[in-house]
Amino acid sequence: MTEPAALYEAIREEAGSVLIGNETVVEGLTIAMLTRGHVLLEGVPGVAKTTVANLFARATGLNYNRVQMTPDILPADITGTYVYREQSGEFELRRGPVFANVVVADEINRATAKTQSALLEAMQERHVTVEGDTLQLPTPFIVIATQNPIEMEGTFELPEAQRDRFDLKLTVDLPDRDEETELLNRFDDEPELGPESVEQVVDRDDILAAREVVEDVYIDESVNEYILDLVAASRDSADTAHGASPRASLAFLNTSKARAAIHGRDYVIPDDVKALVEPILAHRLVLSTEADLSDVTPGDVVEDIVEQVDPPSREAAQRAPAVSDGGDEQDRDGN
């Protein structure tokens, strides 16, 4: 299964056997996995944020570890440490939960900044350092961190550098009435329904092969210009003290290619970029003091940015540079 569209459909369908609604979250997780990205999941308690991550890991057959982030957890509790074994008289490495394909940092904002920073090296470099030894993390590797937006007591806000390392911030919404009715009916029929009910439908090789397909997706210069205009608008906005970094530009490039691929296209259209503006930009923006006092939200700023920046036409985005193989030059459609 090398086609990203088939891979996503298999994951979506299997996760849907338990998950009701929030298909965009499964789409976002798939996009992140195919682009070596990380995801911040936000939602009120009880909307199954951790369950979504578990479902995703089980459907992909990847190694899964969950860390409950609390104020007393230490960096070594995440990365691991060396312990002395009296029987052998030697120190032995005890690997922490970060050594997994899918690592869920549950309620990440309940951990101190020192502990949160233990994830920085892992997220950026795909390795960790334990007592001077650099240890590689498995491939693929994705951090899915959950966060509660309404409970602020006993929490520590994520630093800008930490937020910037999450390619996407996805919101797990409350279900509407029809979805909640289906939830009640489904669990009335199967009270034990949960992540354990999900079967593996893809494997590691499928994911790595699909990644290669994503890398070959075409993105036109006009779409790149659109990305740069959106990022520049986030920096120039009167409502922001700090806009998006170049890491956000790269996130747009990679995730828009993945979104195109899982929707069955080998080229990016402006709608791919537009669909990712809020997940990529909202958590990266630092609002100005005036905007903060005026109750302006990052979502408001993102909405203004989308309205201000004109996208290229879909036809322009489909253009590809002429390629010569010794015969006549052809355009993207072979004409």
Side-chain angles (χ1 to χ4, degrees):
M1 187 186 297
T2 59
E3 287 301 320
L7 179 140
Y8 167 61
E9 182 60 27
I11 295 172
R12 185 193 65 79
E13 186 174 339
E14 186 61 25
S17 65
V18 175
L19 183 67
I20 297 172
N22 286 304
E23 286 188 3
T24 55
V25 176
V26 177
E27 179 182 291
L29 292 174
T30 306
I31 288 172
M33 181 63 72
L34 294 178
T35 55
R36 302 172 180 81
H38 307 288
V39 174
L40 184 62
L41 280 185
E42 188 170 87
V44 299
V47 292
K49 299 185 294 295
T50 308
T51 300
V52 171
N54 197 346
L55 292 172
F56 181 77
R58 287 179 178 273
T60 53
L62 297 175
N63 225 352
Y64 166 89
N65 279 334
R66 174 178 172 270
V67 185
Q68 184 61 55
M69 306 293 271
T70 57
D72 60 345
I73 196 171
L74 299 173
D77 296 325
I78 295 175
T79 60
T81 188
Y82 283 95
V83 295
Y84 181 73
R85 297 297 185 190
E86 190 173 351
Q87 297 90 335
S88 62
E90 297 179 348
F91 284 91
E92 179 182 301
L93 174 64
R94 178 182 292 171
R95 293 174 182 262
V98 75
F99 287 91
N101 298 117
V102 179
V103 178
V104 175
D106 209 8
E107 295 187 288
I108 189 172
N109 55 337
R110 289 201 173 279
T112 62
K114 180 178 181 181
T115 302
Q116 290 177 17
S117 67
L119 288 170
L120 288 176
E121 181 184 8
M123 293 170 68
Q124 185 64 29
E125 308 296 338
R126 264 65 177 182
H127 60 62
V128 295
T129 303
V130 179
E131 297 187 22
D133 293 333
T134 299
L135 307 170
Q136 293 295 324
L137 294 170
T139 301
F141 174 74
I142 178 174
V143 173
I144 303 173
T146 72
Q147 184 171 268
N148 179 351
I150 61 173
E151 191 174 4
M152 295 301 147
E153 187 175 348
T155 63
F156 303 86
E157 185 176 359
L158 270 66
E160 287 83 355
Q162 182 87 5
R163 297 201 304 267
D164 198 33
R165 280 169 171 78
F166 288 102
D167 289 54
L168 302 172
K169 176 184 173 184
L170 306 174
T171 301
V172 183
D173 294 318
L174 287 165
D176 60 30
R177 190 176 184 88
D178 290 340
E179 290 172 339
E180 201 155 5
T181 298
E182 184 180 348
L183 178 72
L184 294 177
N185 293 335
R186 189 176 294 185
F187 277 84
D188 186 33
D189 294 335
E190 300 180 68
E192 301 300 321
L193 188 65
E196 299 79 12
S197 305
V198 171
E199 297 182 358
Q200 179 181 346
V201 291
V202 300
D203 59 25
R204 177 180 179 274
D205 290 340
D206 293 330
I207 293 169
L208 297 183
R211 280 184 173 182
E212 294 183 6
V213 175
V214 168
E215 290 171 359
D216 290 336
V217 169
Y218 172 74
I219 183 166
D220 191 72
E221 183 179 348
S222 63
V223 180
N224 275 336
E225 291 295 329
Y226 181 45
I227 289 172
L228 294 175
D229 289 343
L230 289 168
V231 173
S234 77
R235 299 168 184 166
D236 297 338
S237 171
D239 291 323
T240 60
H242 298 285
S245 72
R247 191 180 279 120
S249 302
L250 291 174
F252 270 120
L253 172 68
N254 296 326
T255 59
S256 61
K257 291 170 72 172
R259 187 180 187 274
I262 68 173
H263 285 277
R265 282 179 278 103
D266 62 353
Y267 59 91
V268 177
I269 61 174
D271 284 348
D272 292 320
V273 177
K274 191 178 292 187
L276 294 161
V277 175
E278 185 161 359
I280 289 176
L281 290 185
H283 64 291
R284 288 181 159 94
L285 303 181
V286 178
L287 299 183
S288 64
T289 303
E290 293 79 5
D292 210 15
L293 293 174
S294 301
D295 292 328
V296 174
T297 68
D300 296 332
V301 178
V302 169
E303 190 175 330
D304 289 342
I305 289 171
V306 172
E307 290 179 357
Q308 291 170 13
V309 179
D310 293 327
S313 67
R314 178 168 177 152
E315 290 73 19
Q318 289 179 248
R319 288 198 305 266
V323 178
S324 176
D325 59 0
D328 294 334
E329 293 186 341
Q330 294 182 336
D331 64 17
R332 188 165 192 81
D333 296 318
N335 297 318

